[in-house]
Amino acid sequence: MPAPHGPRRARIAFSDSAAKQLDTITSEAELHALDRALVVISVDPDAGELLPGDNSGPRLRQYVDDIERVRLVYWVTALKTVVVVAFIEV
């Protein structure tokens, strides 16, 4: 009998600007903090709070971890399978 699987994680994709920001992170501590935040939103894409705005484009969300000092701005696709990170602040 196969082992039951846990909930499916969302796939994380980075916008071009977020990928450039990611390239500038050199500290192991910052990478670790960012990794922890990405795990949180991959497990629960709705973990961040909705940012004010209209419905003309994707609804931006913001996830802030005050302990790790990480802020991510992202949106979730209609299928809720891909989280696209639009801004990284560590």
Side-chain angles (χ1 to χ4, degrees), residues 33 36 64-70:
R36 289 175 54 107
V64 178
D65 182 332
D66 292 327
I67 295 170
E68 295 284 348
R69 296 179 29 213
V70 175

Side-chain angles (χ1 to χ4, degrees), residues 49-67:
E49 64 184 50
L50 280 173
L51 294 175
D54 58 23
N55 291 331
S56 63
R59 293 297 313 262
L60 291 178
R61 301 186 77 84
Q62 171 179 259
Y63 174 77
V64 178
D65 182 332
D66 292 327
I67 295 170

Side-chain angles (χ1 to χ4, degrees), residues 25-36:
I25 299 173
T26 57
S27 161
E28 281 293 319
E30 289 179 347
L31 286 172
H32 178 74
L34 176 60
D35 187 52
R36 289 175 54 107

Side-chain angles (χ1 to χ4, degrees), residues 1 8 18 22 33-35 37 39 45 49 51 67 73 79 89:
M1 178 175 189
R8 182 173 172 225
L22 187 59
L34 176 60
D35 187 52
V39 167
E49 64 184 50
L51 294 175
I67 295 170
V73 176
L79 297 177
E89 184 178 273

